Amino acid sequence: MKNVIIYASMTGHSKKIAQAISEKLGIEAFNIKDNPKIEGYDMGIFVSGIYSGECKPELIEFAKKLTPANIKSALLVTSSMKEMTPEKLKEALIANQIEVMKDEYTCKGGFLVMGISHPNKQEIDEAVDFVRNHLYQTV
Ligand SMILES: Cc1cc2nc3c(=O)[nH]c(=O)nc-3n(C[C@H](O)[C@H](O)[C@H](O)COP(=O)(O)O)c2cc1C
């Protein structure tokens, strides 16, 4: 399977998570800021922070332009204080016939004094394990 990581981060947590997945699993990671060219991948691993309940608008707009020629399926990994599904991202992908995996992972991420120590090393490792386990199961 040909996999790719696409991440969007405001305060750096999702970037750290994306880089850990990239390094440990050998999957190339792209920052949405760089408007990456994504072509011919099986699985897109989306890693994003949650802001007012959703991902960054750039990531949602990017997803609206994707088709199965870009990525066939998507795995969602979020970073937020509370566990929540990034509905707009998910809807954009599904609307474009990209299969969104039922399993999602939320890596706890603090903001200012709330949960300042998160994500910690263990939480980042768990995010990597989630992706690893998922890729193993679907191979
Ligand atoms: C402007 C802003 C809005 C946020 N809104 C939410 C929210 O609605 N729900 C939540 O659980 N966390 C919220 N958070 C916390 C972030 O999701 C959390 O800090 C996450 O780890 C940020 O990821 P990043 O460092 O990749 O940007 C918010 C953080 C910021 C900066």
Side-chain angles (χ1 to χ4, degrees):
M1 279 211 355
K2 197 176 166 200
N3 306 310
V4 64
I5 300 164
I6 303 152
Y7 68 90
S9 188
M10 199 181 279
T11 64
H13 301 150
S14 306
K15 185 174 184 177
K16 260 194 210 167
I17 297 162
Q19 287 175 340
I21 298 168
S22 176
E23 280 162 27
K24 298 211 171 134
L25 304 185
I27 302 171
E28 197 168 7
F30 294 98
N31 190 337
I32 196 69
K33 269 189 186 169
D34 300 326
N35 195 22
K37 198 161 160 42
I38 304 294
E39 238 5 283
Y41 288 94
D42 293 301
M43 168 107 40
I45 300 153
F46 288 81
V47 185
S48 176
I50 295 285
Y51 319 96
S52 303
E54 296 290 350
C55 297
K56 279 177 106 178
E58 302 96 286
L59 187 62
I60 296 163
E61 290 310 307
F62 184 83
K64 282 183 184 169
K65 293 181 202 141
L66 295 174
T67 72
N70 304 113
I71 53 165
K72 293 189 178 68
S73 59
L75 184 64
L76 308 184
V77 176
T78 51
S79 171
S80 58
M81 290 187 291
K82 286 189 185 159
E83 201 170 314
M84 56 179 75
T85 293
E87 294 292 352
K88 286 188 181 166
L89 175 64
K90 206 168 161 178
E91 280 165 20
L93 293 165
I94 291 169
N96 289 348
Q97 324 297 326
I98 293 164
E99 185 189 4
V100 178
M101 298 295 110
K102 235 196 265 168
D103 285 348
E104 288 173 27
Y105 188 81
T106 301
C107 188
K108 194 169 168 59
F111 177 51
L112 298 177
V113 290
M114 290 177 284
I116 199 158
S117 57
H118 301 286
N120 58 35
K121 187 184 175 306
Q122 186 188 334
E123 288 157 349
I124 293 175
D125 285 347
E126 282 169 9
V128 175
D129 286 344
F130 165 77
V131 175
R132 184 189 286 113
N133 292 340
H134 188 88
L135 295 178
Y136 265 123
Q137 277 167 22
T138 53
V139 166

mmCIF file with all atom_site columns, all heavy atoms in Angstrom, residues 13-25:
data_model
loop_
_atom_site.group_PDB
_atom_site.id
_atom_site.type_symbol
_atom_site.label_atom_id
_atom_site.label_alt_id
_atom_site.label_comp_id
_atom_site.label_asym_id
_atom_site.label_entity_id
_atom_site.label_seq_id
_atom_site.pdbx_PDB_ins_code
_atom_site.Cartn_x
_atom_site.Cartn_y
_atom_site.Cartn_z
_atom_site.occupancy
_atom_site.B_iso_or_equiv
_atom_site.pdbx_formal_charge
_atom_site.auth_seq_id
_atom_site.auth_comp_id
_atom_site.auth_asym_id
_atom_site.auth_atom_id
_atom_site.pdbx_PDB_model_num
ATOM 1   N N   . HIS A 1 13 ? 1.361  20.599 17.827 1.00 0.00 ? 13 HIS A N   1
ATOM 2   C CA  . HIS A 1 13 ? 1.170  19.227 18.311 1.00 0.00 ? 13 HIS A CA  1
ATOM 3   C C   . HIS A 1 13 ? 0.967  18.239 17.160 1.00 0.00 ? 13 HIS A C   1
ATOM 4   O O   . HIS A 1 13 ? 1.578  17.174 17.134 1.00 0.00 ? 13 HIS A O   1
ATOM 5   C CB  . HIS A 1 13 ? -0.040 19.152 19.255 1.00 0.00 ? 13 HIS A CB  1
ATOM 6   C CG  . HIS A 1 13 ? 0.080  20.046 20.442 1.00 0.00 ? 13 HIS A CG  1
ATOM 7   N ND1 . HIS A 1 13 ? -1.005 20.614 21.064 1.00 0.00 ? 13 HIS A ND1 1
ATOM 8   C CD2 . HIS A 1 13 ? 1.163  20.499 21.109 1.00 0.00 ? 13 HIS A CD2 1
ATOM 9   C CE1 . HIS A 1 13 ? -0.597 21.371 22.073 1.00 0.00 ? 13 HIS A CE1 1
ATOM 10  N NE2 . HIS A 1 13 ? 0.723  21.317 22.116 1.00 0.00 ? 13 HIS A NE2 1
ATOM 11  N N   . SER A 1 14 ? 0.113  18.620 16.215 1.00 0.00 ? 14 SER A N   1
ATOM 12  C CA  . SER A 1 14 ? -0.174 17.695 15.100 1.00 0.00 ? 14 SER A CA  1
ATOM 13  C C   . SER A 1 14 ? 1.076  17.486 14.253 1.00 0.00 ? 14 SER A C   1
ATOM 14  O O   . SER A 1 14 ? 1.282  16.398 13.699 1.00 0.00 ? 14 SER A O   1
ATOM 15  C CB  . SER A 1 14 ? -1.312 18.236 14.239 1.00 0.00 ? 14 SER A CB  1
ATOM 16  O OG  . SER A 1 14 ? -2.410 18.505 15.051 1.00 0.00 ? 14 SER A OG  1
ATOM 17  N N   . LYS A 1 15 ? 1.883  18.529 14.141 1.00 0.00 ? 15 LYS A N   1
ATOM 18  C CA  . LYS A 1 15 ? 3.143  18.399 13.404 1.00 0.00 ? 15 LYS A CA  1
ATOM 19  C C   . LYS A 1 15 ? 4.032  17.344 14.069 1.00 0.00 ? 15 LYS A C   1
ATOM 20  O O   . LYS A 1 15 ? 4.579  16.467 13.403 1.00 0.00 ? 15 LYS A O   1
ATOM 21  C CB  . LYS A 1 15 ? 3.851  19.758 13.362 1.00 0.00 ? 15 LYS A CB  1
ATOM 22  C CG  . LYS A 1 15 ? 5.108  19.760 12.532 1.00 0.00 ? 15 LYS A CG  1
ATOM 23  C CD  . LYS A 1 15 ? 5.681  21.147 12.405 1.00 0.00 ? 15 LYS A CD  1
ATOM 24  C CE  . LYS A 1 15 ? 6.892  21.129 11.492 1.00 0.00 ? 15 LYS A CE  1
ATOM 25  N NZ  . LYS A 1 15 ? 7.437  22.461 11.277 1.00 0.00 ? 15 LYS A NZ  1
ATOM 26  N N   . LYS A 1 16 ? 4.131  17.417 15.405 1.00 0.00 ? 16 LYS A N   1
ATOM 27  C CA  . LYS A 1 16 ? 4.941  16.434 16.152 1.00 0.00 ? 16 LYS A CA  1
ATOM 28  C C   . LYS A 1 16 ? 4.414  15.023 15.938 1.00 0.00 ? 16 LYS A C   1
ATOM 29  O O   . LYS A 1 16 ? 5.174  14.074 15.738 1.00 0.00 ? 16 LYS A O   1
ATOM 30  C CB  . LYS A 1 16 ? 4.828  16.727 17.662 1.00 0.00 ? 16 LYS A CB  1
ATOM 31  C CG  . LYS A 1 16 ? 5.978  17.471 18.257 1.00 0.00 ? 16 LYS A CG  1
ATOM 32  C CD  . LYS A 1 16 ? 5.859  17.358 19.767 1.00 0.00 ? 16 LYS A CD  1
ATOM 33  C CE  . LYS A 1 16 ? 6.454  18.569 20.430 1.00 0.00 ? 16 LYS A CE  1
ATOM 34  N NZ  . LYS A 1 16 ? 6.094  18.673 21.852 1.00 0.00 ? 16 LYS A NZ  1
ATOM 35  N N   . ILE A 1 17 ? 3.093  14.887 16.005 1.00 0.00 ? 17 ILE A N   1
ATOM 36  C CA  . ILE A 1 17 ? 2.464  13.565 15.851 1.00 0.00 ? 17 ILE A CA  1
ATOM 37  C C   . ILE A 1 17 ? 2.727  13.049 14.432 1.00 0.00 ? 17 ILE A C   1
ATOM 38  O O   . ILE A 1 17 ? 3.117  11.901 14.236 1.00 0.00 ? 17 ILE A O   1
ATOM 39  C CB  . ILE A 1 17 ? 0.944  13.648 16.146 1.00 0.00 ? 17 ILE A CB  1
ATOM 40  C CG1 . ILE A 1 17 ? 0.698  14.068 17.605 1.00 0.00 ? 17 ILE A CG1 1
ATOM 41  C CG2 . ILE A 1 17 ? 0.251  12.318 15.851 1.00 0.00 ? 17 ILE A CG2 1
ATOM 42  C CD1 . ILE A 1 17 ? -0.712 14.587 17.876 1.00 0.00 ? 17 ILE A CD1 1
ATOM 43  N N   . ALA A 1 18 ? 2.515  13.932 13.455 1.00 0.00 ? 18 ALA A N   1
ATOM 44  C CA  . ALA A 1 18 ? 2.718  13.543 12.043 1.00 0.00 ? 18 ALA A CA  1
ATOM 45  C C   . ALA A 1 18 ? 4.171  13.128 11.815 1.00 0.00 ? 18 ALA A C   1
ATOM 46  O O   . ALA A 1 18 ? 4.443  12.131 11.128 1.00 0.00 ? 18 ALA A O   1
ATOM 47  C CB  . ALA A 1 18 ? 2.338  14.697 11.127 1.00 0.00 ? 18 ALA A CB  1
ATOM 48  N N   . GLN A 1 19 ? 5.089  13.875 12.398 1.00 0.00 ? 19 GLN A N   1
ATOM 49  C CA  . GLN A 1 19 ? 6.506  13.551 12.198 1.00 0.00 ? 19 GLN A CA  1
ATOM 50  C C   . GLN A 1 19 ? 6.870  12.230 12.864 1.00 0.00 ? 19 GLN A C   1
ATOM 51  O O   . GLN A 1 19 ? 7.671  11.457 12.330 1.00 0.00 ? 19 GLN A O   1
ATOM 52  C CB  . GLN A 1 19 ? 7.386  14.696 12.685 1.00 0.00 ? 19 GLN A CB  1
ATOM 53  C CG  . GLN A 1 19 ? 7.316  15.877 11.715 1.00 0.00 ? 19 GLN A CG  1
ATOM 54  C CD  . GLN A 1 19 ? 8.076  17.103 12.176 1.00 0.00 ? 19 GLN A CD  1
ATOM 55  O OE1 . GLN A 1 19 ? 8.368  17.255 13.362 1.00 0.00 ? 19 GLN A OE1 1
ATOM 56  N NE2 . GLN A 1 19 ? 8.371  17.995 11.244 1.00 0.00 ? 19 GLN A NE2 1
ATOM 57  N N   . ALA A 1 20 ? 6.265  11.960 14.027 1.00 0.00 ? 20 ALA A N   1
ATOM 58  C CA  . ALA A 1 20 ? 6.549  10.687 14.715 1.00 0.00 ? 20 ALA A CA  1
ATOM 59  C C   . ALA A 1 20 ? 6.032  9.523  13.879 1.00 0.00 ? 20 ALA A C   1
ATOM 60  O O   . ALA A 1 20 ? 6.713  8.508  13.704 1.00 0.00 ? 20 ALA A O   1
ATOM 61  C CB  . ALA A 1 20 ? 5.899  10.683 16.103 1.00 0.00 ? 20 ALA A CB  1
ATOM 62  N N   . ILE A 1 21 ? 4.825  9.666  13.319 1.00 0.00 ? 21 ILE A N   1
ATOM 63  C CA  . ILE A 1 21 ? 4.265  8.592  12.475 1.00 0.00 ? 21 ILE A CA  1
ATOM 64  C C   . ILE A 1 21 ? 5.165  8.418  11.250 1.00 0.00 ? 21 ILE A C   1
ATOM 65  O O   . ILE A 1 21 ? 5.492  7.298  10.851 1.00 0.00 ? 21 ILE A O   1
ATOM 66  C CB  . ILE A 1 21 ? 2.813  8.929  12.044 1.00 0.00 ? 21 ILE A CB  1
ATOM 67  C CG1 . ILE A 1 21 ? 1.892  9.037  13.263 1.00 0.00 ? 21 ILE A CG1 1
ATOM 68  C CG2 . ILE A 1 21 ? 2.281  7.863  11.079 1.00 0.00 ? 21 ILE A CG2 1
ATOM 69  C CD1 . ILE A 1 21 ? 0.512  9.638  12.959 1.00 0.00 ? 21 ILE A CD1 1
ATOM 70  N N   . SER A 1 22 ? 5.564  9.539  10.679 1.00 0.00 ? 22 SER A N   1
ATOM 71  C CA  . SER A 1 22 ? 6.404  9.515  9.483  1.00 0.00 ? 22 SER A CA  1
ATOM 72  C C   . SER A 1 22 ? 7.720  8.778  9.743  1.00 0.00 ? 22 SER A C   1
ATOM 73  O O   . SER A 1 22 ? 8.102  7.874  8.997  1.00 0.00 ? 22 SER A O   1
ATOM 74  C CB  . SER A 1 22 ? 6.668  10.959 9.037  1.00 0.00 ? 22 SER A CB  1
ATOM 75  O OG  . SER A 1 22 ? 7.546  10.985 7.949  1.00 0.00 ? 22 SER A OG  1
ATOM 76  N N   . GLU A 1 23 ? 8.386  9.181  10.837 1.00 0.00 ? 23 GLU A N   1
ATOM 77  C CA  . GLU A 1 23 ? 9.693  8.581  11.144 1.00 0.00 ? 23 GLU A CA  1
ATOM 78  C C   . GLU A 1 23 ? 9.569  7.105  11.497 1.00 0.00 ? 23 GLU A C   1
ATOM 79  O O   . GLU A 1 23 ? 10.331 6.269  11.026 1.00 0.00 ? 23 GLU A O   1
ATOM 80  C CB  . GLU A 1 23 ? 10.349 9.312  12.316 1.00 0.00 ? 23 GLU A CB  1
ATOM 81  C CG  . GLU A 1 23 ? 11.007 10.605 11.872 1.00 0.00 ? 23 GLU A CG  1
ATOM 82  C CD  . GLU A 1 23 ? 11.276 11.554 13.034 1.00 0.00 ? 23 GLU A CD  1
ATOM 83  O OE1 . GLU A 1 23 ? 11.436 11.067 14.179 1.00 0.00 ? 23 GLU A OE1 1
ATOM 84  O OE2 . GLU A 1 23 ? 11.301 12.774 12.786 1.00 0.00 ? 23 GLU A OE2 1
ATOM 85  N N   . LYS A 1 24 ? 8.592  6.774  12.336 1.00 0.00 ? 24 LYS A N   1
ATOM 86  C CA  . LYS A 1 24 ? 8.511  5.380  12.820 1.00 0.00 ? 24 LYS A CA  1
ATOM 87  C C   . LYS A 1 24 ? 7.950  4.430  11.776 1.00 0.00 ? 24 LYS A C   1
ATOM 88  O O   . LYS A 1 24 ? 8.289  3.248  11.774 1.00 0.00 ? 24 LYS A O   1
ATOM 89  C CB  . LYS A 1 24 ? 7.704  5.314  14.109 1.00 0.00 ? 24 LYS A CB  1
ATOM 90  C CG  . LYS A 1 24 ? 8.389  6.127  15.211 1.00 0.00 ? 24 LYS A CG  1
ATOM 91  C CD  . LYS A 1 24 ? 8.153  5.576  16.583 1.00 0.00 ? 24 LYS A CD  1
ATOM 92  C CE  . LYS A 1 24 ? 9.046  6.315  17.582 1.00 0.00 ? 24 LYS A CE  1
ATOM 93  N NZ  . LYS A 1 24 ? 8.366  6.732  18.770 1.00 0.00 ? 24 LYS A NZ  1
ATOM 94  N N   . LEU A 1 25 ? 7.087  4.928  10.903 1.00 0.00 ? 25 LEU A N   1
ATOM 95  C CA  . LEU A 1 25 ? 6.461  4.013  9.938  1.00 0.00 ? 25 LEU A CA  1
ATOM 96  C C   . LEU A 1 25 ? 6.951  4.230  8.507  1.00 0.00 ? 25 LEU A C   1
ATOM 97  O O   . LEU A 1 25 ? 6.508  3.548  7.583  1.00 0.00 ? 25 LEU A O   1
ATOM 98  C CB  . LEU A 1 25 ? 4.928  4.133  9.999  1.00 0.00 ? 25 LEU A CB  1
ATOM 99  C CG  . LEU A 1 25 ? 4.295  3.894  11.379 1.00 0.00 ? 25 LEU A CG  1
ATOM 100 C CD1 . LEU A 1 25 ? 2.793  3.919  11.281 1.00 0.00 ? 25 LEU A CD1 1
ATOM 101 C CD2 . LEU A 1 25 ? 4.746  2.570  11.986 1.00 0.00 ? 25 LEU A CD2 1
#
